Amino acid sequence: MAKFSPFKFLQEVRDETDKVTWPTRRETAITTAMVFVMVLISSIFFLLADQAIRILITTILGFAR
């Protein structure tokens, strides 16, 4: 069985994190803004879809009387 060395493990973790290409502040801001825009667009779409379905069902049930 291999020996576990916490020091060696932490050293390897640090070496691996040095290899990561971290986004710049500008890239993070742009990506965050894009997410907010997509959430807004999705919210509007689902609001309109929900209202259309509500009107459709209300109309269908209104004819059933």
Side-chain angles (χ1 to χ4, degrees):
M1 183 193 266
K3 284 190 168 185
F4 176 73
S5 171
F7 178 73
K8 182 172 168 67
F9 174 75
L10 291 175
Q11 185 177 1
E12 289 175 2
V13 168
R14 185 175 181 149
D15 290 342
E16 288 300 317
T17 57
D18 287 341
K19 296 177 186 177
V20 174
T21 304
W22 297 100
T24 63
R25 183 177 294 271
R26 184 172 186 272
E27 289 172 332
T28 303
I30 289 171
T31 304
T32 302
M34 288 174 23
V35 168
F36 281 123
V37 168
M38 290 306 297
V39 166
L40 179 66
I41 291 170
S42 298
S43 298
I44 292 170
F45 169 77
F46 285 113
L47 173 70
L48 295 174
D50 186 49
Q51 294 301 317
I53 292 169
R54 180 187 58 85
I55 291 169
L56 180 67
I57 298 219
T58 302
T59 304
I60 291 171
L61 293 177
F63 286 135
R65 289 185 188 178

Short mmCIF file of all heavy atoms in Angstrom, two decimals:
data_model
loop_
_atom_site.label_atom_id
_atom_site.label_comp_id
_atom_site.label_asym_id
_atom_site.label_seq_id
_atom_site.Cartn_x
_atom_site.Cartn_y
_atom_site.Cartn_z
N MET A 1 0.84 -1.16 0.00
CA MET A 1 0.00 0.00 0.00
C MET A 1 0.90 1.25 0.00
O MET A 1 1.90 1.30 0.69
CB MET A 1 -0.90 -0.02 1.23
CG MET A 1 -1.85 1.15 1.25
SD MET A 1 -2.65 1.39 2.82
CE MET A 1 -4.14 0.51 2.63
N ALA A 2 0.51 2.25 -0.79
CA ALA A 2 1.31 3.47 -0.89
C ALA A 2 1.14 4.32 0.37
O ALA A 2 0.08 4.37 0.97
CB ALA A 2 0.89 4.26 -2.11
N LYS A 3 2.22 4.99 0.74
CA LYS A 3 2.16 5.87 1.91
C LYS A 3 1.53 7.19 1.50
O LYS A 3 1.76 7.70 0.40
CB LYS A 3 3.56 6.12 2.46
CG LYS A 3 4.13 4.98 3.23
CD LYS A 3 5.38 5.42 3.94
CE LYS A 3 5.79 4.38 4.95
NZ LYS A 3 6.93 4.81 5.74
N PHE A 4 0.76 7.74 2.42
CA PHE A 4 0.10 9.02 2.17
C PHE A 4 0.87 10.11 2.89
O PHE A 4 1.08 10.05 4.10
CB PHE A 4 -1.35 8.98 2.67
CG PHE A 4 -2.06 10.30 2.54
CD1 PHE A 4 -2.45 10.76 1.30
CD2 PHE A 4 -2.31 11.08 3.66
CE1 PHE A 4 -3.10 11.98 1.17
CE2 PHE A 4 -2.95 12.30 3.53
CZ PHE A 4 -3.35 12.74 2.29
N SER A 5 1.31 11.11 2.14
CA SER A 5 2.03 12.23 2.72
C SER A 5 1.21 13.51 2.51
O SER A 5 1.09 13.98 1.37
CB SER A 5 3.40 12.37 2.06
OG SER A 5 4.00 13.57 2.47
N PRO A 6 0.64 14.06 3.57
CA PRO A 6 -0.16 15.28 3.43
C PRO A 6 0.65 16.44 2.84
O PRO A 6 0.13 17.22 2.03
CB PRO A 6 -0.60 15.61 4.86
CG PRO A 6 -0.47 14.34 5.61
CD PRO A 6 0.63 13.57 4.95
N PHE A 7 1.91 16.55 3.22
CA PHE A 7 2.74 17.63 2.70
C PHE A 7 2.91 17.50 1.19
O PHE A 7 2.76 18.48 0.45
CB PHE A 7 4.11 17.62 3.38
CG PHE A 7 5.03 18.68 2.85
CD1 PHE A 7 4.84 20.01 3.15
CD2 PHE A 7 6.09 18.33 2.02
CE1 PHE A 7 5.69 20.98 2.64
CE2 PHE A 7 6.94 19.28 1.50
CZ PHE A 7 6.75 20.62 1.82
N LYS A 8 3.19 16.29 0.72
CA LYS A 8 3.37 16.06 -0.73
C LYS A 8 2.05 16.33 -1.46
O LYS A 8 2.04 16.92 -2.54
CB LYS A 8 3.85 14.64 -0.97
CG LYS A 8 4.12 14.34 -2.44
CD LYS A 8 4.77 12.99 -2.58
CE LYS A 8 4.83 12.49 -3.94
NZ LYS A 8 5.51 12.93 -4.97
N PHE A 9 0.94 15.91 -0.87
CA PHE A 9 -0.37 16.13 -1.48
C PHE A 9 -0.63 17.63 -1.65
O PHE A 9 -1.03 18.09 -2.72
CB PHE A 9 -1.46 15.49 -0.63
CG PHE A 9 -2.85 15.80 -1.11
CD1 PHE A 9 -3.37 15.20 -2.24
CD2 PHE A 9 -3.62 16.72 -0.42
CE1 PHE A 9 -4.64 15.50 -2.68
CE2 PHE A 9 -4.90 17.02 -0.86
CZ PHE A 9 -5.41 16.41 -1.99
N LEU A 10 -0.41 18.40 -0.58
CA LEU A 10 -0.64 19.84 -0.66
C LEU A 10 0.30 20.52 -1.66
O LEU A 10 -0.09 21.46 -2.35
CB LEU A 10 -0.50 20.47 0.72
CG LEU A 10 -1.59 20.10 1.72
CD1 LEU A 10 -1.28 20.67 3.09
CD2 LEU A 10 -2.95 20.55 1.24
N GLN A 11 1.51 20.02 -1.75
CA GLN A 11 2.46 20.57 -2.72
C GLN A 11 1.98 20.30 -4.15
O GLN A 11 2.04 21.17 -5.01
CB GLN A 11 3.84 19.95 -2.51
CG GLN A 11 4.92 20.53 -3.39
CD GLN A 11 6.28 19.93 -3.09
OE1 GLN A 11 6.41 19.06 -2.24
NE2 GLN A 11 7.30 20.39 -3.80
N GLU A 12 1.46 19.10 -4.39
CA GLU A 12 0.93 18.77 -5.72
C GLU A 12 -0.32 19.59 -6.05
O GLU A 12 -0.50 20.01 -7.19
CB GLU A 12 0.64 17.27 -5.80
CG GLU A 12 1.88 16.41 -5.82
CD GLU A 12 1.58 14.93 -5.78
OE1 GLU A 12 0.39 14.56 -5.78
OE2 GLU A 12 2.53 14.12 -5.76
N VAL A 13 -1.16 19.81 -5.06
CA VAL A 13 -2.35 20.65 -5.27
C VAL A 13 -1.92 22.06 -5.66
O VAL A 13 -2.46 22.65 -6.60
CB VAL A 13 -3.24 20.68 -4.00
CG1 VAL A 13 -4.30 21.76 -4.11
CG2 VAL A 13 -3.87 19.32 -3.77
N ARG A 14 -0.94 22.58 -4.96
CA ARG A 14 -0.45 23.93 -5.27
C ARG A 14 0.15 23.98 -6.67
O ARG A 14 -0.07 24.94 -7.42
CB ARG A 14 0.58 24.35 -4.23
CG ARG A 14 1.03 25.76 -4.42
CD ARG A 14 1.95 26.20 -3.33
NE ARG A 14 2.32 27.58 -3.58
CZ ARG A 14 2.60 28.44 -2.65
NH1 ARG A 14 2.54 28.09 -1.40
NH2 ARG A 14 2.93 29.67 -2.96
N ASP A 15 0.89 22.97 -7.06
CA ASP A 15 1.47 22.91 -8.40
C ASP A 15 0.37 22.90 -9.46
O ASP A 15 0.49 23.55 -10.50
CB ASP A 15 2.36 21.68 -8.56
CG ASP A 15 3.65 21.79 -7.74
OD1 ASP A 15 4.02 22.91 -7.34
OD2 ASP A 15 4.27 20.72 -7.51
N GLU A 16 -0.68 22.15 -9.21
CA GLU A 16 -1.78 22.07 -10.18
C GLU A 16 -2.54 23.40 -10.28
O GLU A 16 -2.96 23.80 -11.36
CB GLU A 16 -2.75 20.95 -9.81
CG GLU A 16 -2.19 19.55 -10.05
CD GLU A 16 -1.83 19.30 -11.50
OE1 GLU A 16 -2.60 19.68 -12.41
OE2 GLU A 16 -0.77 18.70 -11.74
N THR A 17 -2.76 24.08 -9.15
CA THR A 17 -3.47 25.36 -9.21
C THR A 17 -2.64 26.43 -9.91
O THR A 17 -3.21 27.37 -10.49
CB THR A 17 -3.86 25.87 -7.80
OG1 THR A 17 -2.70 25.97 -6.99
CG2 THR A 17 -4.88 24.96 -7.15
N ASP A 18 -1.32 26.29 -9.90
CA ASP A 18 -0.48 27.22 -10.65
C ASP A 18 -0.65 27.05 -12.16
O ASP A 18 -0.43 27.98 -12.93
CB ASP A 18 1.00 27.04 -10.29
CG ASP A 18 1.33 27.57 -8.90
OD1 ASP A 18 0.55 28.39 -8.37
OD2 ASP A 18 2.38 27.15 -8.36
N LYS A 19 -1.08 25.88 -12.60
CA LYS A 19 -1.28 25.60 -14.02
C LYS A 19 -2.60 26.13 -14.56
O LYS A 19 -2.79 26.22 -15.76
CB LYS A 19 -1.22 24.09 -14.28
CG LYS A 19 0.12 23.46 -13.98
CD LYS A 19 0.07 21.96 -14.19
CE LYS A 19 1.34 21.27 -13.76
NZ LYS A 19 1.23 19.80 -13.92
N VAL A 20 -3.52 26.47 -13.66
CA VAL A 20 -4.85 26.92 -14.07
C VAL A 20 -4.76 28.32 -14.66
O VAL A 20 -4.07 29.19 -14.14
CB VAL A 20 -5.82 26.93 -12.86
CG1 VAL A 20 -7.16 27.53 -13.23
CG2 VAL A 20 -6.00 25.52 -12.32
N THR A 21 -5.47 28.53 -15.77
CA THR A 21 -5.58 29.86 -16.35
C THR A 21 -6.80 30.54 -15.76
O THR A 21 -7.94 30.21 -16.12
CB THR A 21 -5.72 29.78 -17.89
OG1 THR A 21 -4.63 29.03 -18.41
CG2 THR A 21 -5.76 31.14 -18.52
N TRP A 22 -6.59 31.44 -14.83
CA TRP A 22 -7.69 32.10 -14.15
C TRP A 22 -8.21 33.25 -15.00
O TRP A 22 -7.43 33.95 -15.66
CB TRP A 22 -7.23 32.63 -12.79
CG TRP A 22 -6.79 31.52 -11.89
CD1 TRP A 22 -5.50 31.13 -11.63
CD2 TRP A 22 -7.63 30.62 -11.16
NE1 TRP A 22 -5.49 30.06 -10.78
CE2 TRP A 22 -6.78 29.72 -10.47
CE3 TRP A 22 -9.00 30.48 -11.02
CZ2 TRP A 22 -7.28 28.71 -9.65
CZ3 TRP A 22 -9.49 29.47 -10.21
CH2 TRP A 22 -8.64 28.61 -9.54
N PRO A 23 -9.53 33.50 -15.01
CA PRO A 23 -10.07 34.60 -15.81
C PRO A 23 -9.69 35.95 -15.22
O PRO A 23 -9.51 36.08 -14.00
CB PRO A 23 -11.59 34.39 -15.73
CG PRO A 23 -11.80 33.61 -14.49
CD PRO A 23 -10.58 32.76 -14.31
N THR A 24 -9.59 36.93 -16.10
CA THR A 24 -9.29 38.29 -15.63
C THR A 24 -10.56 38.89 -15.03
O THR A 24 -11.67 38.36 -15.18
CB THR A 24 -8.83 39.17 -16.80
OG1 THR A 24 -9.90 39.29 -17.74
CG2 THR A 24 -7.59 38.60 -17.48
N ARG A 25 -10.40 40.01 -14.37
CA ARG A 25 -11.55 40.70 -13.77
C ARG A 25 -12.54 41.11 -14.87
O ARG A 25 -13.75 41.01 -14.71
CB ARG A 25 -11.08 41.93 -13.00
CG ARG A 25 -12.18 42.68 -12.29
CD ARG A 25 -11.65 43.83 -11.48
NE ARG A 25 -10.83 43.42 -10.37
CZ ARG A 25 -11.30 43.14 -9.15
NH1 ARG A 25 -12.58 43.24 -8.93
NH2 ARG A 25 -10.49 42.78 -8.19
N ARG A 26 -12.02 41.55 -16.01
CA ARG A 26 -12.88 41.97 -17.13
C ARG A 26 -13.67 40.78 -17.67
O ARG A 26 -14.87 40.89 -17.94
CB ARG A 26 -12.02 42.59 -18.23
CG ARG A 26 -12.82 43.13 -19.39
CD ARG A 26 -11.91 43.90 -20.36
NE ARG A 26 -12.69 44.53 -21.40
CZ ARG A 26 -13.03 43.94 -22.54
NH1 ARG A 26 -12.64 42.71 -22.78
NH2 ARG A 26 -13.74 44.58 -23.44
N GLU A 27 -13.01 39.64 -17.86
CA GLU A 27 -13.71 38.44 -18.35
C GLU A 27 -14.80 38.00 -17.37
O GLU A 27 -15.89 37.62 -17.79
CB GLU A 27 -12.71 37.29 -18.54
CG GLU A 27 -11.77 37.48 -19.70
CD GLU A 27 -10.67 36.43 -19.75
OE1 GLU A 27 -10.30 35.90 -18.69
OE2 GLU A 27 -10.20 36.15 -20.86
N THR A 28 -14.51 38.09 -16.09
CA THR A 28 -15.50 37.71 -15.09
C THR A 28 -16.70 38.65 -15.13
O THR A 28 -17.85 38.22 -15.05
CB THR A 28 -14.86 37.73 -13.68
OG1 THR A 28 -13.73 36.85 -13.69
CG2 THR A 28 -15.83 37.28 -12.63
N ALA A 29 -16.45 39.96 -15.27
CA ALA A 29 -17.53 40.94 -15.33
C ALA A 29 -18.40 40.72 -16.57
O ALA A 29 -19.64 40.78 -16.49
CB ALA A 29 -16.96 42.35 -15.32
N ILE A 30 -17.77 40.47 -17.71
CA ILE A 30 -18.52 40.25 -18.95
C ILE A 30 -19.37 38.98 -18.85
O ILE A 30 -20.55 38.98 -19.23
CB ILE A 30 -17.56 40.17 -20.16
CG1 ILE A 30 -16.97 41.56 -20.45
CG2 ILE A 30 -18.27 39.63 -21.40
CD1 ILE A 30 -15.86 41.55 -21.48
N THR A 31 -18.79 37.92 -18.33
CA THR A 31 -19.53 36.67 -18.19
C THR A 31 -20.70 36.83 -17.22
O THR A 31 -21.80 36.33 -17.48
CB THR A 31 -18.59 35.55 -17.70
OG1 THR A 31 -17.49 35.46 -18.61
CG2 THR A 31 -19.29 34.22 -17.64
N THR A 32 -20.48 37.55 -16.13
CA THR A 32 -21.55 37.79 -15.16
C THR A 32 -22.68 38.59 -15.81
O THR A 32 -23.86 38.27 -15.63
CB THR A 32 -21.00 38.54 -13.94
OG1 THR A 32 -19.96 37.76 -13.35
CG2 THR A 32 -22.09 38.80 -12.92
N ALA A 33 -22.34 39.62 -16.57
CA ALA A 33 -23.36 40.42 -17.26
C ALA A 33 -24.14 39.56 -18.25
O ALA A 33 -25.37 39.68 -18.36
CB ALA A 33 -22.70 41.60 -17.97
N MET A 34 -23.44 38.69 -18.97
CA MET A 34 -24.13 37.81 -19.93
C MET A 34 -25.10 36.89 -19.22
O MET A 34 -26.21 36.64 -19.71
CB MET A 34 -23.10 37.00 -20.73
CG MET A 34 -22.35 37.84 -21.72
SD MET A 34 -20.99 37.04 -22.62
CE MET A 34 -21.32 35.34 -22.58
N VAL A 35 -24.73 36.38 -18.06
CA VAL A 35 -25.62 35.51 -17.30
C VAL A 35 -26.86 36.28 -16.89
O VAL A 35 -27.99 35.78 -17.03
CB VAL A 35 -24.89 34.92 -16.07
CG1 VAL A 35 -25.87 34.26 -15.12
CG2 VAL A 35 -23.84 33.92 -16.52
N PHE A 36 -26.70 37.50 -16.38
CA PHE A 36 -27.85 38.30 -15.97
C PHE A 36 -28.78 38.60 -17.14
O PHE A 36 -30.00 38.55 -17.01
CB PHE A 36 -27.42 39.60 -15.29
CG PHE A 36 -27.01 39.41 -13.86
CD1 PHE A 36 -25.76 39.80 -13.43
CD2 PHE A 36 -27.87 38.84 -12.93
CE1 PHE A 36 -25.36 39.63 -12.11
CE2 PHE A 36 -27.50 38.66 -11.61
CZ PHE A 36 -26.25 39.05 -11.20
N VAL A 37 -28.21 38.90 -18.31
CA VAL A 37 -29.02 39.17 -19.50
C VAL A 37 -29.81 37.92 -19.90
O VAL A 37 -31.00 37.99 -20.21
CB VAL A 37 -28.13 39.67 -20.66
CG1 VAL A 37 -28.90 39.67 -21.98
CG2 VAL A 37 -27.61 41.06 -20.36
N MET A 38 -29.15 36.76 -19.88
CA MET A 38 -29.85 35.51 -20.25
C MET A 38 -30.94 35.18 -19.24
O MET A 38 -32.01 34.68 -19.62
CB MET A 38 -28.85 34.36 -20.36
CG MET A 38 -27.93 34.48 -21.55
SD MET A 38 -28.80 34.68 -23.13
CE MET A 38 -29.68 33.15 -23.23
N VAL A 39 -30.72 35.44 -17.96
CA VAL A 39 -31.75 35.22 -16.95
C VAL A 39 -32.93 36.14 -17.21
O VAL A 39 -34.10 35.71 -17.13
CB VAL A 39 -31.18 35.43 -15.53
CG1 VAL A 39 -32.28 35.53 -14.50
CG2 VAL A 39 -30.23 34.30 -15.17
N LEU A 40 -32.68 37.39 -17.55
CA LEU A 40 -33.75 38.34 -17.85
C LEU A 40 -34.56 37.89 -19.07
O LEU A 40 -35.80 37.88 -19.04
CB LEU A 40 -33.17 39.73 -18.08
CG LEU A 40 -34.17 40.82 -18.42
CD1 LEU A 40 -35.09 41.09 -17.24
CD2 LEU A 40 -33.44 42.08 -18.83
N ILE A 41 -33.87 37.50 -20.13
CA ILE A 41 -34.55 37.03 -21.34
C ILE A 41 -35.37 35.78 -21.05
O ILE A 41 -36.53 35.67 -21.48
CB ILE A 41 -33.52 36.77 -22.47
CG1 ILE A 41 -32.92 38.11 -22.95
CG2 ILE A 41 -34.15 36.02 -23.63
CD1 ILE A 41 -31.75 37.96 -23.88
N SER A 42 -34.81 34.85 -20.31
CA SER A 42 -35.54 33.62 -19.96
C SER A 42 -36.76 33.93 -19.10
O SER A 42 -37.83 33.35 -19.29
CB SER A 42 -34.63 32.65 -19.20
OG SER A 42 -33.55 32.27 -20.00
N SER A 43 -36.61 34.85 -18.16
CA SER A 43 -37.73 35.22 -17.30
C SER A 43 -38.87 35.82 -18.11
O SER A 43 -40.04 35.47 -17.89
CB SER A 43 -37.28 36.24 -16.24
OG SER A 43 -36.30 35.69 -15.41
N ILE A 44 -38.55 36.70 -19.03
CA ILE A 44 -39.59 37.30 -19.88
C ILE A 44 -40.25 36.24 -20.74
O ILE A 44 -41.48 36.21 -20.88
CB ILE A 44 -38.98 38.43 -20.74
CG1 ILE A 44 -38.57 39.60 -19.83
CG2 ILE A 44 -39.97 38.90 -21.80
CD1 ILE A 44 -37.75 40.67 -20.51
N PHE A 45 -39.45 35.34 -21.32
CA PHE A 45 -40.02 34.28 -22.15
C PHE A 45 -41.00 33.42 -21.36
O PHE A 45 -42.11 33.15 -21.81
CB PHE A 45 -38.90 33.40 -22.73
CG PHE A 45 -39.42 32.15 -23.38
CD1 PHE A 45 -39.99 32.20 -24.63
CD2 PHE A 45 -39.35 30.93 -22.71
CE1 PHE A 45 -40.49 31.04 -25.24
CE2 PHE A 45 -39.84 29.78 -23.30
CZ PHE A 45 -40.41 29.83 -24.57
N PHE A 46 -40.59 32.97 -20.17
CA PHE A 46 -41.47 32.10 -19.39
C PHE A 46 -42.68 32.85 -18.85
O PHE A 46 -43.76 32.26 -18.71
CB PHE A 46 -40.69 31.41 -18.26
CG PHE A 46 -39.83 30.30 -18.77
CD1 PHE A 46 -38.45 30.39 -18.72
CD2 PHE A 46 -40.40 29.17 -19.34
CE1 PHE A 46 -37.66 29.36 -19.20
CE2 PHE A 46 -39.62 28.13 -19.83
CZ PHE A 46 -38.23 28.23 -19.76
N LEU A 47 -42.55 34.14 -18.58
CA LEU A 47 -43.72 34.93 -18.18
C LEU A 47 -44.73 34.98 -19.32
O LEU A 47 -45.94 34.74 -19.11
CB LEU A 47 -43.29 36.36 -17.82
CG LEU A 47 -44.45 37.34 -17.56
CD1 LEU A 47 -45.15 36.98 -16.26
CD2 LEU A 47 -43.94 38.76 -17.53
N LEU A 48 -44.26 35.24 -20.54
CA LEU A 48 -45.16 35.30 -21.69
C LEU A 48 -45.77 33.92 -22.00
O LEU A 48 -46.97 33.83 -22.29
CB LEU A 48 -44.42 35.84 -22.91
CG LEU A 48 -43.96 37.30 -22.80
CD1 LEU A 48 -43.12 37.68 -24.01
CD2 LEU A 48 -45.14 38.23 -22.62
N ALA A 49 -44.97 32.87 -21.91
CA ALA A 49 -45.48 31.53 -22.15
C ALA A 49 -46.54 31.16 -21.11
O ALA A 49 -47.58 30.59 -21.44
CB ALA A 49 -44.34 30.52 -22.14
N ASP A 50 -46.29 31.50 -19.86
CA ASP A 50 -47.23 31.20 -18.78
C ASP A 50 -48.54 31.95 -18.99
O ASP A 50 -49.64 31.38 -18.82
CB ASP A 50 -46.61 31.58 -17.44
CG ASP A 50 -47.48 31.17 -16.27
OD1 ASP A 50 -47.92 30.01 -16.24
OD2 ASP A 50 -47.71 32.02 -15.38
N GLN A 51 -48.46 33.21 -19.39
CA GLN A 51 -49.67 33.99 -19.62
C GLN A 51 -50.46 33.44 -20.82
O GLN A 51 -51.70 33.38 -20.78
CB GLN A 51 -49.33 35.47 -19.86
CG GLN A 51 -48.74 36.15 -18.64
CD GLN A 51 -49.68 36.12 -17.44
OE1 GLN A 51 -50.87 36.34 -17.55
NE2 GLN A 51 -49.12 35.82 -16.28
N ALA A 52 -49.76 33.04 -21.86
CA ALA A 52 -50.44 32.48 -23.04
C ALA A 52 -51.15 31.18 -22.68
O ALA A 52 -52.30 30.96 -23.09
CB ALA A 52 -49.43 32.25 -24.16
N ILE A 53 -50.50 30.33 -21.92
CA ILE A 53 -51.12 29.07 -21.50
C ILE A 53 -52.32 29.34 -20.59
O ILE A 53 -53.36 28.69 -20.71
CB ILE A 53 -50.08 28.16 -20.82
CG1 ILE A 53 -49.05 27.70 -21.84
CG2 ILE A 53 -50.74 26.97 -20.14
CD1 ILE A 53 -47.83 27.02 -21.23
N ARG A 54 -52.19 30.33 -19.69
CA ARG A 54 -53.30 30.68 -18.80
C ARG A 54 -54.51 31.15 -19.61
O ARG A 54 -55.64 30.72 -19.37
CB ARG A 54 -52.88 31.78 -17.83
CG ARG A 54 -54.00 32.19 -16.86
CD ARG A 54 -53.62 33.38 -16.02
NE ARG A 54 -53.28 34.56 -16.80
CZ ARG A 54 -54.18 35.44 -17.26
NH1 ARG A 54 -55.46 35.26 -17.04
NH2 ARG A 54 -53.78 36.48 -17.95
N ILE A 55 -54.28 32.01 -20.59
CA ILE A 55 -55.38 32.51 -21.42
C ILE A 55 -56.01 31.37 -22.21
O ILE A 55 -57.24 31.26 -22.31
CB ILE A 55 -54.87 33.63 -22.36
CG1 ILE A 55 -54.52 34.87 -21.53
CG2 ILE A 55 -55.89 33.96 -23.42
CD1 ILE A 55 -53.76 35.94 -22.30
N LEU A 56 -55.19 30.50 -22.77
CA LEU A 56 -55.68 29.37 -23.54
C LEU A 56 -56.55 28.44 -22.68
O LEU A 56 -57.65 28.07 -23.07
CB LEU A 56 -54.49 28.59 -24.13
CG LEU A 56 -54.86 27.36 -24.98
CD1 LEU A 56 -55.58 27.80 -26.24
CD2 LEU A 56 -53.61 26.58 -25.30
N ILE A 57 -56.08 28.11 -21.50
CA ILE A 57 -56.84 27.20 -20.63
C ILE A 57 -58.11 27.87 -20.14
O ILE A 57 -59.16 27.22 -20.06
CB ILE A 57 -55.94 26.74 -19.46
CG1 ILE A 57 -54.78 25.98 -20.03
CG2 ILE A 57 -56.73 26.01 -18.41
CD1 ILE A 57 -54.28 24.79 -19.36
N THR A 58 -58.02 29.15 -19.80
CA THR A 58 -59.22 29.87 -19.35
C THR A 58 -60.27 29.91 -20.47
O THR A 58 -61.46 29.72 -20.21
CB THR A 58 -58.84 31.31 -18.94
OG1 THR A 58 -57.85 31.25 -17.92
CG2 THR A 58 -60.05 32.06 -18.42
N THR A 59 -59.82 30.11 -21.70
CA THR A 59 -60.74 30.14 -22.84
C THR A 59 -61.37 28.75 -23.04
O THR A 59 -62.58 28.65 -23.23
CB THR A 59 -59.99 30.57 -24.12
OG1 THR A 59 -59.38 31.82 -23.88
CG2 THR A 59 -60.94 30.66 -25.28
N ILE A 60 -60.57 27.71 -22.99
CA ILE A 60 -61.09 26.35 -23.19
C ILE A 60 -62.07 25.99 -22.09
O ILE A 60 -63.17 25.47 -22.37
CB ILE A 60 -59.93 25.32 -23.24
CG1 ILE A 60 -59.12 25.52 -24.51
CG2 ILE A 60 -60.45 23.91 -23.15
CD1 ILE A 60 -57.84 24.72 -24.56
N LEU A 61 -61.74 26.28 -20.86
CA LEU A 61 -62.64 25.98 -19.76
C LEU A 61 -63.88 26.86 -19.77
O LEU A 61 -64.94 26.46 -19.30
CB LEU A 61 -61.91 26.09 -18.41
CG LEU A 61 -60.81 25.06 -18.16
CD1 LEU A 61 -60.13 25.33 -16.84
CD2 LEU A 61 -61.37 23.65 -18.21
N GLY A 62 -63.76 28.06 -20.33
CA GLY A 62 -64.91 28.95 -20.47
C GLY A 62 -65.94 28.41 -21.46
O GLY A 62 -67.14 28.58 -21.27
N PHE A 63 -65.46 27.74 -22.51
CA PHE A 63 -66.36 27.15 -23.49
C PHE A 63 -67.05 25.90 -22.93
O PHE A 63 -68.10 25.49 -23.42
CB PHE A 63 -65.61 26.76 -24.77
CG PHE A 63 -65.24 27.94 -25.61
CD1 PHE A 63 -63.95 28.05 -26.16
CD2 PHE A 63 -66.15 28.95 -25.89
CE1 PHE A 63 -63.61 29.12 -26.95
CE2 PHE A 63 -65.80 30.03 -26.68
CZ PHE A 63 -64.54 30.12 -27.21
N ALA A 64 -66.48 25.29 -21.94
CA ALA A 64 -67.02 24.05 -21.38
C ALA A 64 -68.29 24.28 -20.57
O ALA A 64 -69.00 23.35 -20.28
CB ALA A 64 -65.96 23.36 -20.53
N ARG A 65 -68.57 25.49 -20.19
CA ARG A 65 -69.75 25.76 -19.35
C ARG A 65 -71.01 25.55 -20.08
O ARG A 65 -71.59 25.58 -20.91
CB ARG A 65 -69.72 27.20 -18.82
CG ARG A 65 -68.66 27.38 -17.77
CD ARG A 65 -68.76 28.74 -17.21
NE ARG A 65 -67.61 28.97 -16.35
CZ ARG A 65 -67.39 30.09 -15.73
NH1 ARG A 65 -68.20 31.09 -15.87
NH2 ARG A 65 -66.34 30.23 -14.98
#
